[in-house]
mmCIF file of all heavy atoms in Angstrom:
data_model
loop_
_atom_site.group_PDB
_atom_site.id
_atom_site.type_symbol
_atom_site.label_atom_id
_atom_site.label_comp_id
_atom_site.label_asym_id
_atom_site.label_seq_id
_atom_site.Cartn_x
_atom_site.Cartn_y
_atom_site.Cartn_z
ATOM 1 N N ASN U 91 12.948 13.906 7.154
ATOM 2 C CA ASN U 91 11.696 14.675 7.217
ATOM 3 C C ASN U 91 10.486 13.848 6.807
ATOM 4 O O ASN U 91 9.553 14.367 6.185
ATOM 5 C CB ASN U 91 11.787 15.961 6.382
ATOM 6 C CG ASN U 91 12.812 16.911 6.925
ATOM 7 O OD1 ASN U 91 12.955 17.057 8.142
ATOM 8 N ND2 ASN U 91 13.571 17.521 6.045
ATOM 9 N N LEU U 92 10.524 12.567 7.132
ATOM 10 C CA LEU U 92 9.399 11.669 6.883
ATOM 11 C C LEU U 92 8.808 11.256 8.226
ATOM 12 O O LEU U 92 9.543 10.960 9.169
ATOM 13 C CB LEU U 92 9.843 10.430 6.105
ATOM 14 C CG LEU U 92 10.367 10.662 4.695
ATOM 15 C CD1 LEU U 92 10.954 9.379 4.124
ATOM 16 C CD2 LEU U 92 9.264 11.200 3.799
ATOM 17 N N GLN U 93 7.489 11.215 8.313
ATOM 18 C CA GLN U 93 6.816 10.824 9.547
ATOM 19 C C GLN U 93 6.174 9.453 9.352
ATOM 20 O O GLN U 93 5.244 9.305 8.555
ATOM 21 C CB GLN U 93 5.760 11.855 9.933
ATOM 22 C CG GLN U 93 5.028 11.484 11.196
ATOM 23 C CD GLN U 93 3.828 12.383 11.471
ATOM 24 O OE1 GLN U 93 3.504 13.274 10.707
ATOM 25 N NE2 GLN U 93 3.153 12.120 12.568
ATOM 26 N N LEU U 94 6.661 8.446 10.089
ATOM 27 C CA LEU U 94 6.112 7.096 10.017
ATOM 28 C C LEU U 94 4.806 7.031 10.796
ATOM 29 O O LEU U 94 4.709 7.550 11.905
ATOM 30 C CB LEU U 94 7.125 6.095 10.601
ATOM 31 C CG LEU U 94 6.730 4.625 10.573
ATOM 32 C CD1 LEU U 94 6.547 4.125 9.137
ATOM 33 C CD2 LEU U 94 7.783 3.789 11.290
ATOM 34 N N LYS U 95 3.802 6.386 10.188
ATOM 35 C CA LYS U 95 2.487 6.246 10.816
ATOM 36 C C LYS U 95 2.061 4.776 10.783
ATOM 37 O O LYS U 95 2.214 4.107 9.769
ATOM 38 C CB LYS U 95 1.444 7.071 10.059
ATOM 39 C CG LYS U 95 1.728 8.564 10.011
ATOM 40 C CD LYS U 95 0.670 9.236 9.172
ATOM 41 C CE LYS U 95 0.859 10.720 9.053
ATOM 42 N NZ LYS U 95 -0.230 11.341 8.253
ATOM 43 N N ASN U 96 1.495 4.312 11.892
ATOM 44 C CA ASN U 96 0.956 2.952 11.959
ATOM 45 C C ASN U 96 -0.526 3.044 11.624
ATOM 46 O O ASN U 96 -1.376 3.119 12.497
ATOM 47 C CB ASN U 96 1.199 2.348 13.347
ATOM 48 C CG ASN U 96 0.977 0.853 13.350
ATOM 49 O OD1 ASN U 96 0.528 0.273 12.362
ATOM 50 N ND2 ASN U 96 1.278 0.220 14.458
ATOM 51 N N THR U 97 -0.828 3.052 10.338
ATOM 52 C CA THR U 97 -2.187 3.255 9.851
ATOM 53 C C THR U 97 -2.861 1.914 9.541
ATOM 54 O O THR U 97 -2.231 0.868 9.551
ATOM 55 C CB THR U 97 -2.171 4.136 8.585
ATOM 56 O OG1 THR U 97 -1.240 3.588 7.652
ATOM 57 C CG2 THR U 97 -1.761 5.557 8.909
ATOM 58 N N ALA U 98 -4.140 1.976 9.248
ATOM 59 C CA ALA U 98 -4.906 0.773 8.896
ATOM 60 C C ALA U 98 -4.361 0.156 7.608
ATOM 61 O O ALA U 98 -4.024 0.868 6.671
ATOM 62 C CB ALA U 98 -6.385 1.130 8.713
ATOM 63 N N TYR U 99 -4.229 -1.143 7.596
ATOM 64 C CA TYR U 99 -3.878 -1.949 6.425
ATOM 65 C C TYR U 99 -2.449 -1.785 5.908
ATOM 66 O O TYR U 99 -2.004 -2.577 5.093
ATOM 67 C CB TYR U 99 -4.871 -1.748 5.268
ATOM 68 C CG TYR U 99 -6.293 -1.980 5.704
ATOM 69 C CD1 TYR U 99 -7.191 -0.924 5.808
ATOM 70 C CD2 TYR U 99 -6.738 -3.251 6.052
ATOM 71 C CE1 TYR U 99 -8.498 -1.128 6.240
ATOM 72 C CE2 TYR U 99 -8.038 -3.460 6.486
ATOM 73 C CZ TYR U 99 -8.908 -2.401 6.573
ATOM 74 O OH TYR U 99 -10.183 -2.616 6.993
ATOM 75 N N ALA U 100 -1.730 -0.752 6.330
ATOM 76 C CA ALA U 100 -0.357 -0.548 5.868
ATOM 77 C C ALA U 100 0.322 0.513 6.731
ATOM 78 O O ALA U 100 -0.332 1.447 7.193
ATOM 79 C CB ALA U 100 -0.343 -0.092 4.409
ATOM 80 N N LEU U 101 1.629 0.360 6.905
ATOM 81 C CA LEU U 101 2.400 1.449 7.479
ATOM 82 C C LEU U 101 2.545 2.502 6.395
ATOM 83 O O LEU U 101 2.674 2.165 5.211
ATOM 84 C CB LEU U 101 3.783 0.966 7.904
ATOM 85 C CG LEU U 101 3.854 -0.012 9.069
ATOM 86 C CD1 LEU U 101 5.276 -0.539 9.230
ATOM 87 C CD2 LEU U 101 3.386 0.641 10.358
ATOM 88 N N THR U 102 2.536 3.778 6.780
ATOM 89 C CA THR U 102 2.686 4.843 5.793
ATOM 90 C C THR U 102 3.655 5.884 6.315
ATOM 91 O O THR U 102 3.952 5.933 7.512
ATOM 92 C CB THR U 102 1.331 5.537 5.482
ATOM 93 O OG1 THR U 102 0.779 6.055 6.690
ATOM 94 C CG2 THR U 102 0.358 4.573 4.830
ATOM 95 N N VAL U 103 4.157 6.714 5.392
ATOM 96 C CA VAL U 103 4.970 7.863 5.768
ATOM 97 C C VAL U 103 4.394 9.110 5.129
ATOM 98 O O VAL U 103 3.963 9.098 3.976
ATOM 99 C CB VAL U 103 6.465 7.724 5.377
ATOM 100 C CG1 VAL U 103 7.148 6.640 6.171
ATOM 101 C CG2 VAL U 103 6.653 7.519 3.910
ATOM 102 N N ALA U 104 4.388 10.186 5.913
ATOM 103 C CA ALA U 104 3.994 11.494 5.411
ATOM 104 C C ALA U 104 5.265 12.270 5.140
ATOM 105 O O ALA U 104 6.244 12.167 5.884
ATOM 106 C CB ALA U 104 3.135 12.219 6.441
ATOM 107 N N GLY U 105 5.259 13.029 4.081
ATOM 108 C CA GLY U 105 6.427 13.822 3.706
ATOM 109 C C GLY U 105 6.838 13.508 2.281
ATOM 110 O O GLY U 105 6.298 12.611 1.645
ATOM 111 N N GLU U 106 7.807 14.264 1.801
ATOM 112 C CA GLU U 106 8.270 14.097 0.421
ATOM 113 C C GLU U 106 9.325 12.997 0.349
ATOM 114 O O GLU U 106 10.369 13.073 0.996
ATOM 115 C CB GLU U 106 8.850 15.411 -0.101
ATOM 116 C CG GLU U 106 9.148 15.361 -1.573
ATOM 117 C CD GLU U 106 9.564 16.722 -2.116
ATOM 118 O OE1 GLU U 106 9.145 17.747 -1.566
ATOM 119 O OE2 GLU U 106 10.321 16.718 -3.107
ATOM 120 N N LEU U 107 9.038 11.978 -0.459
ATOM 121 C CA LEU U 107 9.974 10.873 -0.635
ATOM 122 C C LEU U 107 11.199 11.339 -1.420
ATOM 123 O O LEU U 107 11.081 12.211 -2.286
ATOM 124 C CB LEU U 107 9.318 9.712 -1.372
ATOM 125 C CG LEU U 107 8.169 9.008 -0.660
ATOM 126 C CD1 LEU U 107 7.553 7.951 -1.564
ATOM 127 C CD2 LEU U 107 8.627 8.388 0.646
ATOM 128 N N PRO U 108 12.367 10.751 -1.148
ATOM 129 C CA PRO U 108 13.546 11.115 -1.926
ATOM 130 C C PRO U 108 13.394 10.631 -3.372
ATOM 131 O O PRO U 108 12.628 9.712 -3.652
ATOM 132 C CB PRO U 108 14.687 10.385 -1.212
ATOM 133 C CG PRO U 108 14.035 9.265 -0.466
ATOM 134 C CD PRO U 108 12.649 9.741 -0.137
ATOM 135 N N PRO U 109 14.146 11.244 -4.309
ATOM 136 C CA PRO U 109 14.077 10.789 -5.694
ATOM 137 C C PRO U 109 14.557 9.332 -5.804
ATOM 138 O O PRO U 109 15.386 8.885 -5.020
ATOM 139 C CB PRO U 109 15.034 11.725 -6.443
ATOM 140 C CG PRO U 109 15.645 12.626 -5.450
ATOM 141 C CD PRO U 109 15.076 12.345 -4.111
ATOM 142 N N VAL U 110 13.994 8.635 -6.776
ATOM 143 C CA VAL U 110 14.347 7.217 -6.984
ATOM 144 C C VAL U 110 15.749 7.123 -7.580
ATOM 145 O O VAL U 110 16.055 7.795 -8.561
ATOM 146 C CB VAL U 110 13.322 6.538 -7.927
ATOM 147 C CG1 VAL U 110 13.732 5.101 -8.209
ATOM 148 C CG2 VAL U 110 11.934 6.593 -7.324
#
Side-chain angles (χ1 to χ4, degrees):
N91 296 320
L92 296 172
Q93 179 189 2
L94 182 63
K95 300 177 180 182
N96 194 353
T97 51
Y99 307 110
L101 293 172
T102 58
V103 293
E106 189 173 332
L107 295 176
V110 177

